[in-house]
């Protein structure tokens, strides 16, 4: 799925660059995020319950990817209803943690629980604010957005309008 594409990109950046990365995966806990990244490094699925990977293997793989040197920063808050907190966390990941790349999976969660009109307005505003922040602080921001049955970005078409690059998954 889309998250696995992000995970492959995160792993690739950690293996081939010295850049710090910020990870905001709103649909999963930090343990799943770390186990999945370690799984890429180890070449196994480390998330399934019957995984044949020890905790020390997981920790070693994360350390090898730069986890203990501060190269991996994971957003660990569940304040997804507070757009200012998300923007502030992205700013922190870039300014304080030195992240050159931020992975946001997925932006649609930031407007969960809203009616259609409010969801669109909120996602329009958030996507615009994130775009301006990326320009201001000069970092790469990747976002996953779900699509509706018509194949259009769900919630707000502004997300794709302000993006520099859009990749659509074809079913």
């Amino acid at each position: 799925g889309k998250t696995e594409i992000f995970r492959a990109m995160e792993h690739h950046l950690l293996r081939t660059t010295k850049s710090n990365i910020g990870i905001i995966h709103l649909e999963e806990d930090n343990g799943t995020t770390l186990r999945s990244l370690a799984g890429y490094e180890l070449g196994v699925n480390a998330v399934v319950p019957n995984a044949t990977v020890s905790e020390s293997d997981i920790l070693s793989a994360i350390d090898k990817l730069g986890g203990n040197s501060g190269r991996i920063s994971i957003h660990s808050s569940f304040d997804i209803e507070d757009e200012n907190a998300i923007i502030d966390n992205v700013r922190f990941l870039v300014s304080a943690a030195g992240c050159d790349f931020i992975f946001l999976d997925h932006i649609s969660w930031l407007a969960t629980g809203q009616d259609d009109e409010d969801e669109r307005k909120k996602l329009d505003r958030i996507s615009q604010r994130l775009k301006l922040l990326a320009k201001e602080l000069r970092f790469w921001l990747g976002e996953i957005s779900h699509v509706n049955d018509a194949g259009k970005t769900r919630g707000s078409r502004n997300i794709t309008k302000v993006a520099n690059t859009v990749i659509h998954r074809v079913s």
Side-chain angles (χ1 to χ4, degrees), residues 5-169:
I5 293 169
F6 260 22
R7 190 111 48 229
M9 292 170 65
E10 293 160 0
H11 179 256
H12 178 76
L13 287 168
L14 291 168
R15 294 284 289 156
T16 63
T17 74
K18 298 203 181 302
S19 295
N20 294 349
I21 67 167
I23 300 172
I24 306 171
H25 289 201
L26 298 174
E27 290 184 307
E28 66 186 23
D29 62 73
N30 295 350
T32 300
T33 300
L34 288 171
R35 290 183 75 81
S36 296
L37 260 178
Y40 268 85
E41 182 64 18
L42 297 168
V44 300
N45 184 342
V47 179
V48 293
N50 60 349
T52 58
V53 180
S54 71
E55 291 301 313
S56 64
D57 289 339
I58 299 289
L59 294 172
S60 177
I62 292 299
D63 184 40
K64 190 173 180 184
L65 290 171
N68 289 335
S69 64
R71 291 191 56 218
I72 304 168
S73 296
I74 300 177
H75 169 83
S76 59
S77 177
F78 292 99
D79 52 9
I80 61 171
E81 291 295 324
D82 185 351
E83 78 182 68
N84 290 323
I86 292 291
I87 300 293
D88 289 346
N89 277 309
V90 171
R91 182 179 292 279
F92 175 83
L93 289 170
V94 174
S95 299
C99 295
D100 298 310
F101 299 88
I102 302 290
F103 293 85
L104 173 57
D105 180 12
H106 58 86
I107 191 170
S108 306
W109 263 46
L110 301 179
T112 302
Q114 303 293 325
D115 62 53
D116 289 340
E117 184 178 8
D118 289 341
E119 179 182 26
R120 184 191 58 77
K121 287 179 182 178
K122 189 172 185 179
L123 287 172
D124 284 354
R125 186 175 54 252
I126 292 168
S127 61
Q128 189 67 34
R129 288 180 70 190
L130 286 169
K131 169 75 172 197
L132 293 173
L133 186 62
K135 285 183 135 190
E136 173 193 341
L137 299 179
R138 302 182 52 82
F139 66 96
W140 179 90
L141 173 66
E143 301 169 354
I144 289 177
S145 175
H146 289 173
V147 295
N148 61 23
D149 291 340
K152 303 289 185 192
T153 304
R154 194 179 92 210
S156 167
R157 293 190 53 215
N158 192 58
I159 296 167
T160 54
K161 288 180 181 177
V162 301
N164 290 341
T165 303
V166 176
I167 300 169
H168 288 281
R169 185 181 87 177

